[in-house]
Structures are given as structure tokens and as C-alpha cells.
Amino acid sequence: MIRKFIFVTGGVVSSLGKGITTASIGMLLKSRGLKVNVMKIDPYLNIDPGTMSPYQHGEVYVTEDGAETDLDLGYYERFLDINMSKMNNFTAGQIYESVLRKERNGEYLGKTIQVIPHVTNEIKSRIKKVGETAEITIVELGGTVGDIEGLPFLEAIRQMKIDIGRENVLYVHLTLIPYIRAAEELKTKPTQQSVGKLREIGIEPDIIIARSEKPLNDDLKGKISLFCNVTKDAVMEEVDVGAGNIYAIPLILKNQGLDEIILKYLHVTSRKHELKKWEDMVESKKKYKTTVEIAITGKYTGLKDAYKSICAALIHSEYPNKTNVKIKYVDVESKSLNDDLKTADGIILPGGFGDRGIEGKIKVSQYAREKKVPFLGICLGMQCVVMDFARNACGLKNANSSEFDKNTPYPVIDYLPGQCDDTQKGGTMRLGGYPCILSKKSIAYTEYKKEKISERHRHRYEFNNKYKEILTSKGLVIAGQNGDLVEIVEVKNHPWFVATQFHPEFKSRPLNAHPLFAGLVREALIFSKKKGKK
Ligand code: GLN
């Protein structure tokens, strides 16, 4: 099998959408029948993003095999429709940890341990291992060229070209072409300087992808080509499309011949694209006439990256329902919470950690339950539903999760010893895919249309079975279980109210929306029509 590598670096500033661009390249190559894998390298020192605040890092993406990873892996899974694993994301922390462990074990036979070659070898061996799984492996390097912590990684990817041959390695550089409003001009200088920095390290980019507010004209492409030493047809533009339209990006890049040029440079032949369904999905979005409003109720409402996969799953649900979805972020700590929820046609209560905002979250559950608004609770969202139901439907005053109140008289959500480890912070939760059996009388069963499902988890606390009898006697429905563990609850006498201990958002795909999200949007559409009639 051929083994080729594409390295994607970023220049000028961060937040250029390197993850989406990397995923788009992967999607285009996969659509030509090639076996593609994608990985992300994060140059920070944390072992994984699991312990980082969403303010710092955005969402933590959980893989099927239980790795807590960078949110870019979510893009890779969604664009390529393949499952990522622990191997697909590593950090500088993991590299140094493993080099130091080897040193303590005497594996370096008395040598002085240095960044080159010991750290760079460790980096390359991880990249090459993933490379064994595919014909083309795309490697996205986090951070921006010029960051001190990125240097060992750039050095390692420079060496890859020598190690495995020039014709097997390609460098793509994503940069910003800023628009200076006062001069009404797009500027290429930062890009020239960023490429200059790469050249100092010994990397010559083959392809430049330029992010900009406005399209680049031919002259500008010529200038980038001249100063950055890439052919003109290898200068691509990626103009801003807006969050709801990111699935158009692979098509925009394809129309400029990006995949053709990649295959030419790497000497790979492949069949033509199969993109019909994808194109249809992107096109159909222009024709939707209705819009439903879905409220995402949380405490990170100022930082949209914290709910990336949930937003993605909502966008995927537009296609089967032929409607636009407008997302409204509602702060659970707001004084006017109930008023803020009034315009919502559907409500999502997402996962989270820590007690801040908990009382507001419990109120959101009560609001959706009593006002019969379509509702999806996720992880902590489900736990809040159980607390709300215990307090407000069963009279168990001050019922709580023992995560937030160790002395609650009714720990309806509790820590189960042996289920996970609460003595350490990183990597100690119930993580990754677990099976769940659905009750045939549940809404969940109607949506999934099957009895046995598997979904991804990231939590420590569980539904406390001691309260099952009293809660179900008052109308809580246990809709899904994994052995004794309660995975889904619903409530009686409500058109559509589902809450899951797992995170369904991680398995939603653009052409295959997750059944619970698609169901929520369908019900929201019905709800909004009814509201309209009133
Ligand atoms: N904090 C809760 C727990 O650990 C929920 C976690 C989550 O929502 N991901 O069980």
C-alpha cells in the first residue's frame, strides 16, 4: 500500500479553521476512494485536554475508545465519517512523559537525552504508527508557526520528508490575508513572513490556503506565489462562509482543484469524486423556508466552542427536517431565565461540571417539563432532570447530586465506587462507548428504531437506583439501561422529553443526523407551528 503524509500548519494567527480545512482535505481525498486517516498534534504540555476548562480549550471531544481529545477530532469524524481513536491525537505532554519514562527505565543506554533526536523520534514514531493505517495520513499541527513550543514538532515533520522520501510528503500552510478597511486592500505580508519562518526551519510549503474576508484576485494569488515560492495553482482561497455553512468548504476547495494538485504532487492516482449526496445536502440548505429556534442552556454561553458537537448535530438535523435551525444561547444564571426561554421551540440542557449554574439548570428542566417544550438533556442535563423530578414531582426537598451537595437528604445522583476513580482528575471518568438497551415503549426507541445502541460517555456520577421506585411511580420513565446503570430517562405526559446520561452529539454526522437531535428538531417544528396557531 502507498504511504503518504500531508502536514497542515497554520500561520499569522490562530482560529483560522485549521481543523475544518484539514478535515475538508481528508473528506475530498476519501471521496475519491482513498484510504485516509487524520491526526492532530497539540504542542501544549497537558497530557490531554480532559482537565482544561472549556474557556481555555472549547469542547473536549470523546472518542469511541474513551480518549478525551481536541475538538478538531470532531471535525475529522464528521467530515470523513470515520472513527478516531486514542492514536489520532497527542500532546507535547504525552511525548515528554514517554521520553522521560524511557529515560528512567534506562532505555536510552546512557545517552544524553535531547530534543533532537529523542523528542523528535518519539513524535515521528507516533505519526508513522498512524501512517500504517492509511494510504494518506493528514497531520494537523496545532498552534501557529513561530510558537516556541511548536518547534520540536516542526523539526520532526521536516525530518519526515528525508525519512520517507520527497514524493511521499506534502506541506500545506493555512494563513490569513487580512483586509485593511481604510486602504480597501488585502495584504499578503503576514503570509510572506510566516512562510519565511517555515523556511528558516527547513520546511517549504507546497500549497498555501489563504483565509480571507474577501476573494483574492489573480494579481494577489500571483504575489503570494512569487513571494512564497509555490506555483500559482497551489494558492487556494478560503473565504469566510459562516458557522452553518462549513460543509460547503470541501466543495469550495475542490472547485479550485485542491485535491487534484495534492494527488499530482504526491504521485497518487485515484478515481473521480463521489460527492453527490454531500453536494445535495449543501445545496438543499439554500431552500429551507422554516426556521426553528433551539435554546442551548448552559454556563459557557459566551464561548460557542464549548458546545461544538451539539451545534454540529443541530446543523445535521436541518437536512432530514428541511428546516433551518437557529441556535439561541441561554445563560442558566440569567435573572430572566424563564423569559429567555419563551421564544424557544426546543430546549437542550447540555453536560457540564461544577455546581455553578446548577439551580438554573434544574429550573430549565422544570420549565420544559411543565410547559411541554420539546427537550433533550445530556449528561449533567439528565442528572438535572432527575433532580428536578425528585424535587418538584416527588416532593423530595433538596434532592441533589452528591457531586454538588455531599449532605443532601436525597442523593438521587450519586457516585458509584468502582465505576470510576474520583481521587485523580485526568482520564478517570466513565469514558467512551458503552452499550444501552432501550425500552420498547420509549421515545428513544421510536427515534433509534432499534433496541440495542452504543453511545459515548464522559462522567463520574450515575442515577441512584435507590430512588427508582419512587421516581417511576410519579411518572419518570427509565427508557434505556446498561445493566443496572440508567442511561436514558423520559417523562410521562409530555410530547417529547428525553434525557441521556451519554453524549449523543459525538456520533452525529452531516449525512446521518443523530436520531435524538433529528427527533428534537422535528418536534420543535411541530411545536412552533402549534405556537403559531395560538
Ligand atoms: N458532572 C457530571 C458527572 O461527572 C456530568 C458530567 C458531564 O456532563 N459530562 O457525572
Side-chain angles (χ1 to χ4, degrees):
M1 192 161 52
I2 47 168
R3 300 257 185 258
K4 310 271 180 182
F5 291 87
I6 300 172
F7 294 101
V8 183
T9 54
V12 184
V13 290
S14 57
S15 305
L16 286 181
K18 212 168 353 125
I20 296 175
T21 305
T22 305
S24 300
I25 297 174
M27 179 271 188
L28 285 178
L29 296 175
K30 188 181 172 226
S31 78
R32 303 183 67 133
L34 293 159
K35 192 160 175 5
V36 182
N37 206 344
V38 194
M39 67 190 298
K40 170 88 192 275
I41 303 176
D42 284 304
Y44 52 71
L45 286 168
N46 305 57
I47 298 289
D48 61 42
T51 54
M52 286 192 214
S53 150
Y55 280 119
Q56 290 268 315
H57 191 268
E59 165 187 282
V60 173
Y61 192 76
V62 182
T63 59
E64 206 56 36
D65 65 348
E68 297 176 271
T69 69
D70 187 76
L71 57 80
D72 281 334
L73 271 77
Y75 290 122
Y76 308 161
E77 287 208 350
R78 293 190 280 269
F79 278 69
L80 280 92
D81 196 16
I82 55 176
N83 273 349
M84 295 283 110
S85 81
K86 287 189 166 77
M87 284 166 74
N88 294 74
N89 184 203
F90 66 83
T91 66
Q94 285 174 31
I95 295 291
Y96 285 108
E97 189 194 42
S98 114
V99 168
L100 294 177
R101 198 174 6 89
K102 286 185 189 162
E103 186 272 338
R104 290 290 86 180
N105 291 340
E107 289 178 38
Y108 294 114
L109 305 172
K111 291 208 175 78
T112 308
I113 315 304
Q114 295 181 294
V115 172
I116 307 171
H118 301 101
V119 171
T120 47
N121 281 353
E122 185 68 33
I123 296 169
K124 286 193 294 181
S125 85
R126 293 197 186 211
I127 296 174
K128 287 177 187 166
K129 205 158 166 205
V130 175
E132 283 163 21
T133 63
E135 290 168 293
I136 302 187
T137 300
I138 310 170
V139 185
E140 177 190 347
L141 180 59
T144 308
V145 169
D147 298 344
I148 290 178
E149 56 199 9
L151 281 174
F153 296 93
L154 287 169
E155 169 59 18
I157 68 178
R158 179 194 69 77
Q159 294 172 14
M160 286 287 288
K161 192 165 191 170
I162 309 300
D163 285 8
I164 61 164
R166 289 173 184 278
E167 68 289 359
N168 298 324
V169 172
L170 187 90
Y171 300 103
V172 176
H173 192 52
L174 180 73
T175 83
L176 176 73
I177 305 287
Y179 178 68
I180 308 297
R181 215 161 290 275
E184 293 184 5
E185 247 188 292
L186 288 162
K187 290 292 186 189
T188 66
K189 182 76 84 204
T191 298
Q192 297 173 33
Q193 283 172 341
S194 175
V195 170
K197 270 243 157 307
L198 270 178
R199 288 217 213 113
E200 273 172 34
I201 301 162
I203 295 174
E204 284 236 42
D206 301 287
I207 294 171
I208 304 270
I209 303 182
R211 281 296 312 275
S212 66
E213 257 176 73
K214 297 190 182 288
L216 311 181
N217 62 28
D218 216 46
D219 281 354
L220 221 62
K221 283 191 182 170
K223 200 166 166 189
I224 296 172
S225 155
L226 182 67
F227 282 96
C228 301
N229 201 28
V230 295
T231 56
K232 201 161 154 192
D233 58 352
V235 180
M236 308 280 146
E237 65 178 30
E238 211 186 288
V239 180
D240 303 346
V241 289
N245 291 317
I246 57 168
Y247 298 114
I249 292 174
L251 305 177
I252 292 169
L253 293 170
K254 180 196 75 135
N255 291 342
Q256 298 174 68
L258 177 64
D259 50 322
E260 291 289 340
I261 204 157
I262 289 176
L263 296 179
K264 184 173 98 185
Y265 282 180
L266 289 175
H267 305 287
V268 175
T269 48
S270 81
R271 62 162 202 236
K272 283 259 156 290
H273 300 102
E274 256 167 42
L275 285 171
K276 194 144 179 15
K277 282 192 190 142
W278 193 281
E279 283 165 346
D280 182 61
M281 180 255 301
V282 171
E283 269 309 298
S284 73
K285 196 174 162 62
K286 297 174 189 156
K287 297 178 206 136
Y288 303 150
K289 293 198 176 67
T290 52
T291 300
V292 291
E293 184 180 294
I294 305 286
I296 298 183
T297 53
K299 58 181 184 180
Y300 298 115
T301 49
L303 184 84
K304 313 217 161 31
D305 268 5
Y307 304 114
K308 262 269 129 79
S309 294
I310 291 178
C311 296
L314 286 172
I315 291 171
H316 305 161
S317 303
E318 293 181 327
Y319 187 42
N321 287 300
K322 311 235 165 311
T323 181
N324 294 304
V325 173
K326 182 175 148 220
I327 296 169
K328 178 181 184 184
Y329 294 93
V330 173
D331 181 358
V332 289
E333 293 175 305
S334 151
K335 294 221 160 48
S336 53
L337 185 56
N338 279 11
D339 281 342
D340 298 348
L341 289 171
K342 264 189 189 139
T343 53
D345 304 312
I347 297 175
I348 291 181
L349 185 54
F353 294 83
D355 58 1
R356 192 163 66 76
I358 279 297
E359 293 304 317
K361 290 181 184 184
I362 294 172
K363 281 199 190 106
V364 171
S365 161
Q366 186 182 10
Y367 177 96
R369 204 164 48 77
E370 292 176 355
K371 305 258 189 251
K372 309 230 183 290
V373 186
F375 173 90
L376 178 59
I378 297 173
C379 206
L380 181 59
M382 176 197 115
Q383 299 175 352
C384 290
V385 165
V386 176
M387 292 180 236
D388 154 42
F389 201 82
R391 289 182 190 183
N392 303 316
C394 306
L396 303 179
K397 211 169 157 233
N398 294 329
N400 213 322
S401 160
S402 51
E403 180 180 7
F404 311 121
D405 180 3
K406 294 258 174 292
N407 304 315
T408 168
Y410 307 109
V412 286
I413 302 293
D414 204 3
Y415 173 69
L416 291 186
Q419 191 58 45
C420 54
D421 177 5
D422 72 342
T423 55
Q424 276 204 318
K425 280 279 180 266
T428 50
M429 286 181 263
R430 180 146 84 103
L431 286 167
Y434 285 88
C436 167
I437 306 292
L438 302 180
S439 141
K440 286 206 165 152
K441 285 193 215 102
S442 63
I443 295 173
Y445 178 80
T446 323
E447 299 297 348
Y448 279 95
K449 300 188 178 59
K450 57 182 175 189
E451 215 179 336
K452 193 167 179 232
I453 58 163
S454 167
E455 292 281 6
R456 299 186 196 168
H457 291 250
R458 183 174 183 251
H459 60 101
R460 285 197 179 83
Y461 292 79
E462 305 280 354
F463 180 95
N464 187 344
N465 279 322
K466 280 189 205 135
Y467 295 92
K468 198 173 190 172
E469 219 177 281
I470 171 150
L471 293 170
T472 50
S473 73
K474 302 280 183 197
L476 193 81
V477 177
I478 307 293
Q481 275 182 274
N482 166 15
D484 276 346
L485 298 173
V486 170
E487 299 279 17
I488 309 177
V489 299
E490 297 174 5
V491 293
K492 283 196 180 138
N493 303 322
H494 190 294
W496 209 94
F497 189 100
V498 181
T500 64
Q501 186 56 77
F502 50 78
H503 289 267
E505 68 272 24
F506 294 138
K507 288 180 82 164
S508 188
R509 300 285 183 264
L511 294 175
N512 197 7
H514 190 286
L516 292 183
F517 282 89
L520 174 74
V521 170
R522 184 197 62 234
E523 294 300 315
L525 208 50
I526 298 171
F527 185 83
S528 85
K529 280 182 192 147
K530 265 200 215 144
K531 237 182 9 184
K533 274 187 201 142
K534 267 186 203 161

